[in-house]
Amino acid sequence: DTGVSQNPRHKITKRGQNVTFRCDPISEHNRLYWYRQTLGQGPEFLTYFQNEAQLEKSRLLSDRFSAERPKGSFSTLEIQRTEQGDSAMYLCASSLGHTNTEAFFGQGTRLTVV
Amino acid sequence: AQTVTQSQPEMSVQEAETVTLSCTYDTSESDYYLFWYKQPPSRQMILVIRQEAYKQQNATENRFSVNFQKAAKSFSLKISDSQLGDAAMYFCARANSGYALNFGKGTSLLVTP
């Protein structure tokens, strides 16, 4: 297991289209997080799973966004009816345990909406 | 909103010298965690150092150390003996018991030979 894997690395889509990103966490990690990072900014929290349960969602996660983590393994983040403002780097991270242990990040999926 | 503020958008340091990156934060929690993450260009974010708020002793990891001032809500990162590979964006982050990280806007560190 070489770390958190995200696919695709880059996605260009037309406005109004739906896109889906995948994150494969480190295999024994029970927590999985999605963040969004725009140019010149720090990552912003979107949502968090513990195993298959989605425990927290940011107000940034509009109804066009949905995330799933079936069976507590990989996760998908879907954006429906994409807008130009959705262009960003989408980061996935995973961690293990019941306290704030280290979160390991993937390399991200860069979304460009044209 | 509980914020993390990094007041230095860019910093520069000569190789082998020491540099300090500043971070202040706001929280109403008594139990929280503080982190410094490094993000090299086009590479993933990696943890540099972590501090539990209940611990008075400042965390140290090799050339990296923090100055944690809980009352002042300050959490600065000191990099000693700077190396070219230290060049990156550095993000300060806070996590409450809810575990989600709240990041600052970052400081871009340039290391010159």
Side-chain angles (χ1 to χ4, degrees):
Chain A
D1 193 345
T2 55
V4 178
S5 175
Q6 292 188 246
N7 288 288
R9 292 288 308 281
H10 303 273
K11 178 71 176 179
I12 299 175
T13 190
K14 291 184 179 179
R15 189 175 53 186
Q17 297 294 304
N18 299 343
V19 293
T20 300
F21 311 140
R22 177 178 171 124
C23 171
D24 288 272
I26 294 172
S27 57
E28 65 268 25
H29 284 187
N30 59 340
R31 295 186 183 155
L32 187 146
Y33 312 81
W34 285 100
Y35 293 85
R36 180 173 69 187
Q37 186 177 21
T38 53
L39 200 61
Q41 302 292 319
E44 297 171 295
F45 170 72
L46 292 178
T47 190
Y48 151 60
F49 290 85
Q50 180 153 313
N51 300 312
E52 67 276 7
Q54 188 173 20
L55 296 187
E56 191 175 349
K57 293 199 300 186
S58 162
R59 286 172 292 178
L60 292 174
L61 212 67
S62 76
D63 55 5
R64 296 185 298 106
F65 288 69
S66 63
E68 294 182 341
R69 192 183 182 197
K71 302 178 182 177
S73 55
F74 71 92
S75 176
T76 57
L77 177 67
E78 181 183 18
I79 308 174
Q80 296 183 326
R81 305 181 303 280
T82 52
E83 301 172 357
Q84 286 189 319
D86 297 331
S87 296
M89 177 76 83
Y90 289 83
L91 298 172
C92 177
S94 70
S95 69
L96 174 67
H98 302 288
T99 59
N100 277 83
T101 55
E102 177 180 355
F104 291 82
F105 282 80
Q107 291 190 287
T109 295
R110 181 168 294 285
L111 174 66
T112 302
V113 182
V114 298
Chain B
Q2 299 185 8
T3 58
V4 176
T5 302
Q6 294 180 248
S7 59
Q8 305 152 317
E10 293 181 351
M11 291 286 283
S12 181
V13 63
Q14 274 196 310
E15 213 174 352
E17 296 297 309
T18 296
V19 64
T20 299
L21 308 184
S22 302
C23 173
T24 58
Y25 60 92
D26 180 24
T27 183
S28 55
E29 303 281 334
S30 58
D31 183 22
Y32 55 91
Y33 301 80
L34 298 164
F35 306 83
W36 279 97
Y37 276 87
K38 170 185 177 182
Q39 188 176 39
S42 301
R43 298 187 63 184
Q44 68 243 63
M45 200 158 326
I46 57 174
L47 180 67
V48 175
I49 198 165
R50 178 181 68 192
Q51 174 83 41
E52 291 89 344
Y54 65 87
K55 289 187 178 178
Q56 292 185 332
Q57 186 173 9
N58 289 325
T60 299
E61 289 287 342
N62 301 314
R63 298 183 294 108
F64 299 88
S65 62
V66 298
N67 183 4
F68 173 46
Q69 301 290 326
K70 190 172 184 178
K73 295 181 180 174
S74 170
F75 183 61
S76 60
L77 174 69
K78 185 171 82 171
I79 306 174
S80 304
D81 185 26
S82 297
Q83 301 175 358
L84 294 177
D86 294 334
M89 283 293 290
Y90 285 81
F91 292 98
C92 178
R94 187 205 75 245
N96 295 338
S97 56
Y99 312 121
L101 290 163
N102 186 10
F103 287 89
K105 289 188 176 183
T107 296
S108 178
L109 179 66
L110 175 67
V111 182
T112 57

